[in-house]
């Protein structure tokens, strides 16, 4: 297979700014078509990228080799099960689902079908970040780590195109940016064997984890930080000293290109990618465990 035919599901801001242009420009990919819950949006996006809209997901599955998802997790998970059952490889977005049963059903479907899968975690597929993560995992000897993954999507002065995202409003930063923090901490420190969670202001959550390596980590995640306070920092402390995650230059498009490369490699070699659906399931399990530790919102907080 020299060219992978990929269909895109989703037409929102993330699909328009990252998925569709990256897929259309990738030399190893043919953007077969686009489906969205709003047919007019699918038609418009397809026209921009020289593709065609589809009226139903299953019709698109029939015409492609793989499916890329830019959908809310509760919509992504059942459609990805159908795509896997149709024998299509999966380029998923994080989180793969926001419930463990849905994530497990998706993983089981991919395993039964024997399809390749890659979950797009921007930090893992960024060139500098990916190299740093691999180097720190190889170094070992880490004692503690802390991650701040704070966005200003829901800040009072936000102009983010994701501010009106219903699933982000409902699930908050724990589920939107929490996966990014875990995607960096887990490969370096090992699996999270214990997790606790505490609420902060607005949707902010503080996670505390004990890892299989013996290291401890904390992560502060949220989408409602003031713009001046938003940003990403990850710091590791251990026998090698102190090191921090390098900052990615530019936007997420190069990282998505590398995620497509990873899917092509997994399809071509038959070897699983480290960020496959099994890793996506584990991230969902950890976040679900953290969510269970959070006290219900008080009426004045809701």
């Amino acid at each position: 297979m020299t060219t992978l035919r990929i269909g895109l599901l989703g037409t929102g801001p993330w699909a328009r700014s990252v998925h569709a242009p990256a897929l259309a420009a990738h030399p190893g990919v043919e953007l077969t078509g686009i489906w969205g819950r709003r047919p007019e949006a699918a038609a418009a996006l397809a026209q921009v990228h020289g593709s065609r809209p589809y009226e139903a997901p299953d019709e698109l599955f029939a015409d492609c080799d793989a499916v890329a998802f830019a959908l809310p997790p509760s919509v992504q998970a059942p459609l990805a099960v159908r795509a896997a059952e149709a024998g299509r490889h999966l380029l998923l977005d994080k989180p793969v689902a926001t419930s463990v049963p849905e994530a497990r059903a998706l993983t089981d479907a991919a395993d039964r079908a024997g399809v390749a899968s890659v979950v797009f975690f921007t930090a893992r597929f960024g060139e500098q970040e990916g190299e740093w993560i691999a180097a720190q995992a190889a170094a070992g000897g880490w004692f503690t780590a802390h991650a701040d993954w704070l966005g200003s999507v829901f800040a009072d002065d936000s102009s983010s195109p994701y501010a009106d995202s219903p699933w982000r409003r409902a699930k908050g930063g724990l589920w939107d940016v929490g996966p990014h923090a875990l995607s960096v901490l887990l490969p370096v420190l090992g699996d999270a064997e214990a997790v606790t969670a505490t609420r902060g202001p607005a949707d902010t959550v503080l996670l505390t984890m004990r890892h299989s390596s013996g290291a401890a980590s904390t992560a502060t995640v949220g989408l409602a930080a003031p713009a001046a306070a938003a940003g990403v920092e990850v710091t590791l402390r251990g026998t090698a000293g102190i090191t921090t995650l390098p900052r990615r230059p530019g936007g997420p498009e190069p990282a998505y290109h590398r995620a497509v490369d990873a899917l092509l490699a997994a399809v071509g070699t038959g070897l699983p990618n480290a960020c496959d659906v099994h890793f996506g399931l584990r991230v969902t399990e950890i976040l679900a465990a953290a969510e269970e530790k959070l006290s219900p919102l008080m009426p004045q907080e809701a």
Side-chain angles (χ1 to χ4, degrees):
M1 182 183 299
T2 57
T3 301
L4 196 71
R5 301 173 301 161
I6 297 187
L8 173 61
L9 271 58
T11 60
W14 193 232
R16 295 195 301 270
S17 64
V18 178
H19 290 248
L23 291 170
H26 197 290
V29 163
E30 173 192 332
L31 180 55
T32 302
I34 299 172
W35 173 85
R37 291 174 291 172
R38 294 181 297 120
E40 67 280 5
L45 188 58
Q47 183 177 24
V48 168
H49 296 288
S51 187
R52 57 165 288 197
Y54 278 73
E55 293 184 359
D58 297 287
E59 294 176 1
L60 180 54
F61 300 162
D63 288 346
C64 63
D65 307 305
V67 183
F69 293 83
L71 293 166
S74 63
V75 181
Q76 169 178 252
L79 284 174
V81 168
R82 285 162 53 184
E85 290 173 345
R88 303 307 176 239
H89 306 294
L90 306 173
L91 182 52
L92 300 157
D93 218 334
K94 59 79 209 159
V96 296
T98 53
S99 79
V100 173
E102 284 188 326
R104 190 167 291 134
L106 171 52
T107 304
D108 290 345
D111 286 346
R112 286 194 304 269
V115 298
S117 61
V118 168
V119 184
F120 179 42
F121 295 92
T122 51
R124 288 291 290 276
F125 289 103
E127 184 173 7
Q128 292 184 23
E129 302 105 305
E131 290 176 355
W132 181 87
I133 291 167
Q136 308 324 312
W142 300 110
F143 186 67
T144 62
H146 179 69
D148 285 312
W149 221 289
L150 295 168
S152 57
V153 172
F154 299 144
D156 291 339
D157 57 352
S158 173
S159 59
S160 169
Y162 305 105
D164 295 327
S165 168
W167 85 265
R168 288 179 175 86
R169 286 283 181 184
K171 303 301 289 185
L174 177 66
W175 286 96
D176 187 29
V177 295
H180 290 309
L182 292 178
S183 78
V184 174
L185 295 172
L186 297 182
V188 175
L189 305 179
D191 192 21
E193 297 182 334
V195 58
T196 61
T198 304
R199 292 192 185 279
D203 74 323
T204 305
V205 172
L206 175 66
L207 300 174
T208 304
M209 291 171 283
R210 186 185 69 244
H211 296 267
S212 57
S213 65
S217 72
T218 56
T220 305
V221 298
L223 295 175
V232 173
E233 290 186 9
V234 181
T235 302
L236 303 174
R237 296 173 181 268
T239 56
I242 302 171
T243 182
T244 58
L245 180 74
R247 301 184 70 175
R248 180 192 324 121
E253 295 84 355
Y256 190 74
H257 184 104
R258 290 167 61 87
V260 176
D261 289 343
L263 182 65
L264 291 170
V267 171
T269 65
L271 300 175
N273 185 271
C275 285
D276 67 0
V277 70
H278 288 271
F279 184 74
L281 167 61
R282 186 61 190 136
V283 167
T284 293
E285 289 173 338
I286 294 169
L287 294 176
E291 190 174 54
E292 289 181 359
K293 302 292 179 68
L294 295 173
S295 59
L297 284 172
M298 300 298 289
Q300 64 268 25
E301 298 178 298

